[in-house]
Coordinates of all heavy atoms in Angstrom, one line a residue:
K13 N 0.8 14.6 -11.2 CA 0.7 13.2 -11.1 C 1.6 12.6 -9.9 O 1.1 11.8 -9.1 CB 1.0 12.5 -12.4 CG 0.1 12.8 -13.6 CD 0.5 12.0 -14.8 CE -0.4 12.2 -15.9 NZ -0.1 11.6 -17.2
V14 N 2.7 13.2 -9.7 CA 3.5 12.6 -8.7 C 3.1 12.9 -7.2 O 2.9 12.3 -6.4 CB 5.0 13.2 -8.9 CG1 5.8 12.8 -7.6 CG2 5.6 12.6 -10.1
T15 N 2.6 14.1 -7.1 CA 1.9 14.6 -5.8 C 0.7 13.8 -5.5 O 0.6 13.4 -4.4 CB 1.4 16.2 -6.1 OG1 2.6 17.0 -6.3 CG2 0.9 16.6 -4.7
E16 N 0.0 13.4 -6.6 CA -1.2 12.5 -6.3 C -0.7 11.1 -5.7 O -1.3 10.6 -4.8 CB -2.0 12.4 -7.6 CG -2.8 13.6 -8.0 CD -3.5 13.5 -9.3 OE1 -3.3 12.5 -9.9 OE2 -4.3 14.5 -9.6
L17 N 0.3 10.7 -6.3 CA 0.8 9.3 -6.0 C 1.4 9.4 -4.6 O 1.2 8.5 -3.8 CB 1.8 8.8 -6.9 CG 1.4 8.2 -8.3 CD1 2.4 8.0 -9.2 CD2 0.6 6.9 -8.1
L18 N 2.2 10.5 -4.3 CA 2.7 10.6 -3.0 C 1.7 10.6 -1.9 O 1.8 10.1 -0.8 CB 3.6 11.9 -2.9 CG 4.9 12.0 -3.7 CD1 5.5 13.3 -3.8 CD2 5.9 10.9 -3.0
M19 N 0.6 11.4 -2.2 CA -0.4 11.5 -1.2 C -1.1 10.2 -1.0 O -1.5 9.6 0.1 CB -1.5 12.5 -1.7 CG -1.0 13.9 -1.5 SD -2.3 15.2 -2.0 CE -3.5 14.9 -0.8
L20 N -1.3 9.4 -2.1 CA -2.1 8.2 -2.2 C -1.4 7.1 -1.5 O -2.0 6.3 -0.8 CB -2.3 7.6 -3.5 CG -3.1 6.4 -3.8 CD1 -4.5 6.5 -3.4 CD2 -3.0 6.0 -5.3
F21 N 0.0 7.1 -1.4 CA 0.9 6.1 -0.8 C 1.4 6.6 0.6 O 2.4 6.1 1.0 CB 1.8 5.5 -1.7 CG 1.3 4.7 -2.7 CD1 0.8 5.1 -4.0 CD2 1.2 3.2 -2.5 CE1 0.3 4.2 -4.9 CE2 0.7 2.5 -3.5 CZ 0.2 3.0 -4.7
N22 N 0.9 7.7 1.1 CA 1.4 8.3 2.3 C 2.9 8.4 2.4 O 3.6 8.1 3.3 CB 1.0 7.3 3.5 CG 1.0 8.0 4.9 OD1 1.2 9.1 4.9 ND2 1.1 7.2 5.9
L23 N 3.3 9.2 1.2 CA 4.8 9.4 1.2 C 5.1 10.9 0.9 O 6.1 11.3 0.5 CB 5.4 8.7 0.1 CG 5.4 7.1 0.3 CD1 5.8 6.5 -1.0 CD2 6.4 6.7 1.4
S24 N 4.0 11.8 1.2 CA 4.2 13.3 0.9 C 5.4 13.8 1.6 O 6.1 14.7 1.0 CB 2.8 14.0 1.2 OG 1.9 13.5 0.4
G25 N 5.6 13.5 2.9 CA 6.7 14.1 3.5 C 8.0 13.5 3.2 O 9.0 13.9 3.9
K26 N 8.1 12.5 2.4 CA 9.3 11.9 2.0 C 9.9 12.2 0.7 O 10.9 11.6 0.3 CB 9.2 10.4 2.2 CG 8.4 9.9 3.5 CD 9.3 10.3 4.7 CE 8.5 9.9 5.9 NZ 9.4 10.2 7.2
K27 N 9.2 13.1 0.0 CA 9.7 13.2 -1.6 C 11.0 13.7 -1.7 O 11.5 13.3 -2.8 CB 8.7 14.3 -2.2 CG 8.8 15.6 -1.7 CD 7.8 16.5 -2.4 CE 7.9 18.0 -2.0 NZ 6.9 19.0 -2.8
S28 N 11.7 14.5 -0.8 CA 13.2 14.8 -1.1 C 14.1 13.9 -0.6 O 15.2 13.9 -0.9 CB 13.1 16.2 -0.3 OG 12.4 17.2 -0.9
L29 N 13.7 12.7 0.1 CA 14.6 11.8 0.6 C 15.1 10.8 -0.6 O 14.4 10.6 -1.5 CB 13.9 10.9 1.6 CG 13.6 11.7 2.9 CD1 12.9 10.7 3.9 CD2 14.8 12.4 3.6
H30 N 16.3 10.3 -0.3 CA 16.7 9.1 -1.2 C 15.8 7.9 -0.9 O 15.5 7.7 0.3 CB 18.1 8.8 -0.9 CG 18.8 7.9 -2.0 ND1 18.4 6.5 -2.1 CD2 19.6 8.2 -3.1 CE1 19.1 6.0 -3.0 NE2 19.8 7.0 -3.6
P31 N 15.3 7.1 -1.9 CA 14.5 5.9 -1.5 C 15.1 5.0 -0.5 O 14.5 4.4 0.4 CB 14.4 5.2 -2.9 CG 14.6 6.3 -3.9 CD 15.6 7.2 -3.3
Y32 N 16.4 4.9 -0.4 CA 17.2 4.1 0.6 C 17.0 4.5 2.1 O 17.3 3.9 2.9 CB 18.7 3.9 0.3 CG 19.0 3.0 -0.9 CD1 17.9 2.6 -1.8 CD2 20.3 2.7 -1.2 CE1 18.2 1.7 -2.8 CE2 20.6 1.9 -2.2 CZ 19.5 1.4 -3.0 OH 19.8 0.5 -4.1
Q33 N 16.6 5.9 2.1 CA 16.4 6.4 3.5 C 15.0 6.1 4.0 O 14.8 6.4 5.3 CB 16.5 8.0 3.4 CG 18.1 8.4 3.3 CD 18.1 9.9 3.3 OE1 17.9 10.6 2.2 NE2 18.5 10.4 4.4
L34 N 14.2 5.5 3.4 CA 12.9 5.2 3.9 C 12.8 3.9 4.7 O 13.8 3.1 4.6 CB 11.9 4.9 2.6 CG 11.7 6.1 1.6 CD1 10.8 5.6 0.5 CD2 11.1 7.3 2.3
S35 N 11.8 3.8 5.5 CA 11.7 2.5 6.2 C 11.2 1.5 5.2 O 11.0 1.8 4.1 CB 10.6 2.7 7.2 OG 9.3 2.7 6.7
M36 N 11.4 0.2 5.7 CA 11.0 -0.9 4.7 C 9.6 -0.8 4.2 O 9.3 -1.0 3.1 CB 11.3 -2.2 5.4 CG 11.0 -3.5 4.5 SD 12.0 -3.4 2.9 CE 13.6 -3.9 3.6
G37 N 8.6 -0.5 5.1 CA 7.3 -0.4 4.7 C 7.1 0.7 3.7 O 6.3 0.6 2.8
Q38 N 7.8 1.8 4.0 CA 7.8 3.0 3.0 C 8.5 2.6 1.6 O 7.8 3.1 0.5 CB 8.4 4.3 3.5 CG 7.7 4.8 4.7 CD 8.5 5.8 5.5 OE1 9.7 5.8 5.4 NE2 7.8 6.4 6.4
K39 N 9.5 1.8 1.7 CA 10.1 1.4 0.4 C 9.2 0.6 -0.4 O 9.0 0.6 -1.7 CB 11.3 0.6 0.7 CG 12.5 1.4 1.2 CD 13.7 0.6 1.6 CE 14.8 1.4 2.1 NZ 16.0 0.5 2.6
R40 N 8.4 -0.4 0.4 CA 7.4 -1.3 -0.4 C 6.4 -0.4 -1.0 O 5.9 -0.6 -2.1 CB 6.8 -2.1 0.7 CG 7.7 -3.1 1.4 CD 8.5 -3.9 0.3 NE 7.7 -5.0 -0.2 CZ 8.0 -5.6 -1.3 NH1 9.1 -5.3 -1.9 NH2 7.1 -6.5 -1.9
R41 N 5.8 0.6 -0.3 CA 4.8 1.4 -0.9 C 5.3 2.2 -2.1 O 4.6 2.3 -3.1 CB 4.3 2.4 0.2 CG 3.6 1.7 1.3 CD 2.6 2.6 2.1 NE 3.2 3.8 2.6 CZ 3.7 3.9 3.8 NH1 3.9 2.7 4.6 NH2 4.2 5.0 4.3
L42 N 6.6 2.6 -2.0 CA 7.2 3.5 -3.2 C 7.4 2.5 -4.4 O 7.1 2.8 -5.5 CB 8.5 4.0 -2.9 CG 9.2 4.8 -3.9 CD1 8.5 5.9 -4.4 CD2 10.6 5.2 -3.4
S43 N 7.7 1.2 -4.2 CA 8.0 0.3 -5.2 C 6.6 -0.1 -5.9 O 6.5 -0.2 -7.2 CB 8.6 -1.0 -4.7 OG 7.8 -1.7 -3.8
V44 N 5.5 -0.2 -5.1 CA 4.2 -0.3 -5.7 C 3.8 0.8 -6.5 O 3.1 0.8 -7.6 CB 3.1 -0.8 -4.7 CG1 1.8 -0.9 -5.3 CG2 3.6 -2.0 -3.9
A45 N 4.0 2.0 -5.9 CA 3.6 3.3 -6.6 C 4.3 3.4 -8.0 O 3.7 3.9 -8.9 CB 3.9 4.5 -5.6
T46 N 5.6 3.0 -8.0 CA 6.2 3.3 -9.3 C 5.7 2.3 -10.3 O 5.6 2.6 -11.5 CB 7.8 3.0 -9.0 OG1 7.9 1.6 -8.6 CG2 8.5 3.9 -8.2
A47 N 5.3 1.0 -9.9 CA 4.7 0.2 -10.8 C 3.4 0.6 -11.3 O 3.0 0.5 -12.5 CB 4.6 -1.3 -10.2
L48 N 2.5 1.1 -10.5 CA 1.2 1.6 -10.8 C 1.3 2.9 -11.6 O 0.2 3.2 -12.4 CB 0.3 1.9 -9.5 CG -0.2 0.7 -8.7 CD1 -0.9 1.2 -7.5 CD2 -1.0 -0.2 -9.6
A49 N 2.3 3.7 -11.5 CA 2.5 4.9 -12.3 C 2.5 4.6 -13.8 O 2.1 5.4 -14.6 CB 3.7 5.6 -11.9
Q50 N 2.8 3.3 -14.1 CA 2.9 3.0 -15.6 C 1.5 2.5 -16.0 O 1.2 2.3 -17.2 CB 3.8 1.7 -15.7 CG 5.1 1.9 -15.3 CD 6.0 0.6 -15.2 OE1 6.0 -0.3 -16.1 NE2 6.9 0.5 -14.3
N51 N 0.4 2.4 -15.1 CA -0.8 1.8 -15.3 C -0.8 0.5 -16.2 O -1.4 0.5 -17.3 CB -1.7 3.0 -16.1 CG -3.1 2.5 -16.2 OD1 -3.6 1.8 -15.3 ND2 -3.8 2.9 -17.3
P52 N -0.1 -0.5 -15.7 CA 0.1 -1.7 -16.5 C -1.2 -2.5 -16.4 O -1.9 -2.5 -15.4 CB 1.1 -2.4 -15.8 CG 1.1 -2.0 -14.4 CD 0.6 -0.5 -14.4
A53 N -1.5 -3.2 -17.5 CA -2.7 -4.1 -17.6 C -2.5 -5.3 -16.7 O -3.4 -5.8 -16.2 CB -2.9 -4.7 -19.1
I54 N -1.3 -5.7 -16.4 CA -0.9 -6.9 -15.6 C 0.1 -6.4 -14.5 O 1.1 -5.8 -14.8 CB -0.2 -8.1 -16.4 CG1 -1.2 -8.4 -17.6 CG2 0.0 -9.2 -15.4 CD1 -0.4 -9.2 -18.6
L55 N -0.3 -6.7 -13.3 CA 0.6 -6.2 -12.2 C 1.1 -7.5 -11.4 O 0.4 -8.3 -10.9 CB -0.2 -5.3 -11.2 CG 0.6 -4.6 -10.1 CD1 1.6 -3.7 -10.7 CD2 -0.4 -3.8 -9.3
L56 N 2.4 -7.6 -11.5 CA 3.1 -8.8 -10.8 C 3.7 -8.2 -9.5 O 4.7 -7.4 -9.5 CB 4.2 -9.3 -11.7 CG 3.7 -9.7 -13.2 CD1 4.9 -10.0 -14.0 CD2 2.7 -10.9 -13.1
L57 N 3.3 -8.8 -8.3 CA 3.9 -8.3 -7.0 C 4.3 -9.4 -6.2 O 3.8 -10.4 -6.0 CB 2.7 -7.7 -6.3 CG 2.0 -6.5 -7.0 CD1 0.5 -7.0 -7.3 CD2 1.8 -5.2 -6.1

């Protein structure tokens, strides 16, 4: 599941990095990916 999310959000090459090491755009994608991982009925962005 994590591999699928990493590919979906173009973060595959960043999986071993600390989230703070990402660019701002990559941080934004990671934050959305973590929210979608929960498959919530309501998504607040």
Side-chain angles (χ1 to χ4, degrees):
K13 289 181 177 179
V14 172
T15 299
E16 289 174 350
L17 283 170
L18 288 169
M19 292 180 63
L20 186 63
F21 286 88
N22 195 18
L23 294 170
S24 296
K26 311 296 181 182
K27 66 178 183 179
S28 299
L29 296 181
H30 192 286
Y32 285 9
Q33 288 182 274
L34 301 177
S35 72
M36 181 57 75
Q38 292 165 345
K39 289 175 183 176
R40 299 301 289 160
R41 299 204 296 276
L42 178 59
S43 65
V44 176
T46 57
L48 287 180
Q50 305 169 37
N51 192 32
I54 305 164
L55 190 58
L56 306 169
L57 307 108

